[in-house]
Amino acid sequence: MTDATSGSAMGKPKSSLLVQDDRTKRRNAAEARFRGYGVVAITIAMLALVGLLSSILYNGSSAFRQTFITLDVYLDPAKLDKDGSGDLAKIAKVTTFGYAPLIKKSFEVEFEKQGIGVEGMKPKDAAKMISKEGPAELRRFVLANPDQIGETLSFEFLASGRIDGYYKGRVTMESAEIDKNVSPEQLQLADQMKDAGVLETKWNWGFLTRADASENRPEAAGLGVAILGSFYMMMVVLCLSLPIGVAASIYLEEFAPKNWITDVIEVNISNLAAVPSIVFGILGLAIFINFAGLPQSAPIVGGLVLTLMTLPTIIIATRASLKAVPPSIRDAALGVGASKMQSVFHHVLPLAAPGILTGTIIGLAQALGETAPLLLIGMVAFVREFPSAPPEGFFDPAAALPVQVYNWTQRADPAFVERASGAIIVLLVFLLFMNAVAIILRRRFERRW
């Protein structure tokens, strides 16, 4: 009776751990939906990234290939060294207009030797297939090697932008009929020259080593000055931001008293990290150029502006690395008789070094891609000459990779769009390399407690 009474009083259990009730089902369904949303978000982000990278690679990969025309040119003394004295000063008086007939003559000889040509095509029109940089390159060679005058030498000339675009799909026979810079006859002749081995499209090292070129010769434009200018700026940023940022972080985190003054400093550092980069450009223009009188478009000014912009990032990353070191490390050092400074520099700082280096490299990578502050200090200028070696080179005019991309996208010729995409690829390679170094350093020196 007792068992029956107790069984009836307790009744059957309303729920079981083995059977989900409605509330549990709704909770599990909500969790499944949230995971699905996360997968969809990641998928969309990855597709957008793949689309962006594919577009850049598709448009920019052709910038690393260029069309060249190989010709045997006779360096006629009658045009280059009329009196036969070999005086370099007199030879230098011959302008590029004096070298153009030599290239025209070499076309005539090549046509006769290869048995190629298009009816109605004159050698003068054929010579226009070579870049306007061709006579300038020939002149530079003669000035560097005046003893070669009188000889016949083989030269690789850049083809004009339209001929190069023909082999990259930008120019067609139909578009050539309405283009004043190229004709269908020139494209037909280019095909004959390619079959004869005179014209070839191959890897273009000049894209990485040449200086910028004018709007009339996009095929000759390169990233040499921009790469060197960015390298100089990164040297300035690294030499200034790393010691200043680490020293400020150590003081604020380990030695500064905790009062309202340090609280104000910490809040302002956090706010500076969120300030738009163009504001730092305005500050650099006012202080370094207008007040201090430093030259515009110089790597030293760009480096100083980017240092101001990078410092908050390095300070925040360094303080986070110092906080991550367990207090027991400090207590143990102090317990064996080390001073406060010894405990910080001998024990805490080495353990925080991986995070500090990672934050520094990420800050440098961010500075490398900045454009707005550099535009305000004049680094948008057209620069043809390479800066000198340091320290003089820090004060010479130079460009930077992101500014070079901006410059090329503003020009009308489609060949510059191709080169802008190629410059973006180079910039991405630098950024990926710097981020890879940061990851390797963190993995190599990371300590776990």
Side-chain angles (χ1 to χ4, degrees):
M1 180 176 179
T2 305
D3 293 339
T5 304
S6 61
S8 60
M10 293 177 61
K12 295 182 179 180
K14 295 182 179 181
S15 62
S16 171
L17 294 176
L18 302 178
V19 180
Q20 295 183 355
D21 57 11
D22 293 339
R23 183 178 179 183
T24 303
K25 291 180 180 179
R26 289 194 300 271
R27 186 169 64 246
N28 292 340
E31 182 178 348
R33 286 196 302 271
F34 181 77
R35 290 181 178 180
Y37 296 153
V39 171
V40 171
I42 293 175
T43 303
I44 293 174
M46 293 300 296
L47 290 176
L49 179 61
V50 170
L52 175 63
L53 293 178
S54 300
S55 174
I56 293 174
L57 292 174
Y58 176 78
N59 294 319
S61 59
S62 57
F64 296 91
R65 297 168 57 251
Q66 196 71 30
T67 304
F68 294 88
I69 298 176
T70 303
L71 294 174
D72 294 330
V73 181
Y74 174 58
L75 303 179
D76 191 356
K79 293 184 177 295
L80 306 180
D81 188 14
K82 296 181 180 180
D83 58 3
S85 63
D87 186 0
L88 189 59
K90 293 182 180 179
I91 296 174
K93 291 181 180 179
V94 181
T95 64
T96 54
F97 294 102
Y99 287 84
L102 302 180
I103 298 178
K104 173 186 172 184
K105 182 65 177 178
S106 66
F107 264 103
E108 296 178 1
V109 175
E110 193 68 33
F111 290 169
E112 183 177 351
K113 182 174 67 174
Q114 299 289 346
I116 59 177
V118 176
E119 184 177 356
M121 171 71 69
K122 299 179 180 179
K124 179 181 179 181
D125 296 328
K128 293 180 180 178
M129 298 170 61
I130 287 183
S131 168
K132 294 180 180 179
E133 189 75 9
E137 290 183 347
L138 193 59
R139 181 175 183 271
R140 285 194 292 268
F141 175 83
V142 171
L143 293 179
N145 305 274
D147 56 316
Q148 301 286 335
I149 294 178
E151 299 183 10
T152 300
L153 302 175
S154 179
F155 291 91
E156 271 192 350
F157 296 108
L158 288 166
S160 68
R162 294 297 194 272
I163 299 298
D164 180 61
Y166 174 60
Y167 292 103
K168 294 178 179 178
R170 294 195 308 269
V171 178
T172 62
M173 290 290 182
E174 292 75 16
S175 65
E177 293 178 355
I178 57 174
D179 192 340
K180 66 178 181 179
N181 295 314
V182 70
S183 65
E185 291 75 17
Q186 288 176 328
L187 299 183
Q188 295 173 15
L189 181 60
D191 287 334
Q192 295 183 22
M193 294 171 65
K194 185 175 182 179
D195 294 337
V198 179
L199 183 147
E200 182 184 5
T201 301
K202 59 183 181 180
W203 179 263
N204 180 26
W205 284 109
F207 180 63
L208 300 176
T209 58
R210 291 176 178 268
D212 194 10
S214 65
E215 294 190 6
N216 296 325
R217 51 189 76 178
E219 64 281 349
L223 291 171
V225 174
I227 291 175
L228 195 58
S230 292
F231 176 71
Y232 281 1
M233 286 193 300
M234 291 303 102
M235 288 178 61
V236 175
V237 175
L238 180 62
C239 293
L240 293 179
S241 62
L242 180 60
I244 295 175
V246 172
S249 302
I250 292 175
Y251 175 76
L252 289 174
E253 191 64 33
E254 303 291 341
F255 296 98
K258 304 302 179 184
N259 52 35
W260 68 271
I261 298 178
T262 55
D263 291 340
V264 171
I265 294 174
E266 292 175 3
V267 169
N268 279 278
I269 290 174
S270 301
N271 289 336
L272 285 174
V275 169
S277 59
I278 196 169
V279 176
F280 291 98
I282 297 173
L283 179 65
L285 177 64
I287 295 178
F288 301 128
I289 295 178
N290 294 338
F291 179 74
L294 293 175
Q296 288 188 354
S297 190
I300 184 66
V301 180
L304 290 172
V305 171
L306 295 179
T307 296
L308 295 178
M309 192 189 70
T310 308
L311 270 175
T313 302
I314 295 179
I315 291 175
I316 293 173
T318 302
R319 294 193 65 187
S321 299
L322 293 173
K323 287 180 180 178
V325 178
S328 58
I329 301 294
R330 300 172 177 82
D331 296 338
L334 296 174
V336 296
S339 65
K340 178 69 172 177
M341 181 171 291
Q342 287 175 329
S343 68
V344 170
F345 285 94
H346 293 177
H347 302 277
V348 177
L349 191 59
L351 296 175
I356 295 173
L357 292 175
T358 301
T360 301
I361 294 174
I362 292 175
L364 291 176
Q366 177 189 2
L368 180 63
E370 285 295 338
T371 307
L374 302 181
L375 296 178
L376 289 177
I377 62 173
M379 296 202 78
V380 70
F382 177 78
V383 181
R384 281 281 299 171
E385 300 297 328
F386 283 82
S388 305
E392 293 84 1
F394 291 133
F395 298 89
D396 291 339
L401 281 173
V403 177
Q404 194 67 72
V405 173
Y406 172 82
N407 274 338
W408 284 345
T409 55
Q410 302 303 305
R411 300 181 185 177
D413 197 301
F416 281 113
V417 178
E418 170 196 79
R419 273 167 155 66
S421 298
I424 293 174
I425 294 175
V426 175
L427 183 59
L428 288 176
V429 169
F430 275 106
L431 295 177
L432 289 174
F433 173 76
M434 297 177 73
N435 282 277
V437 171
I439 294 173
I440 292 172
L441 289 175
R442 175 171 287 278
R443 293 288 181 86
R444 174 65 179 81
F445 297 105
E446 191 174 22
R447 298 289 186 272
R448 296 183 181 276
W449 295 281

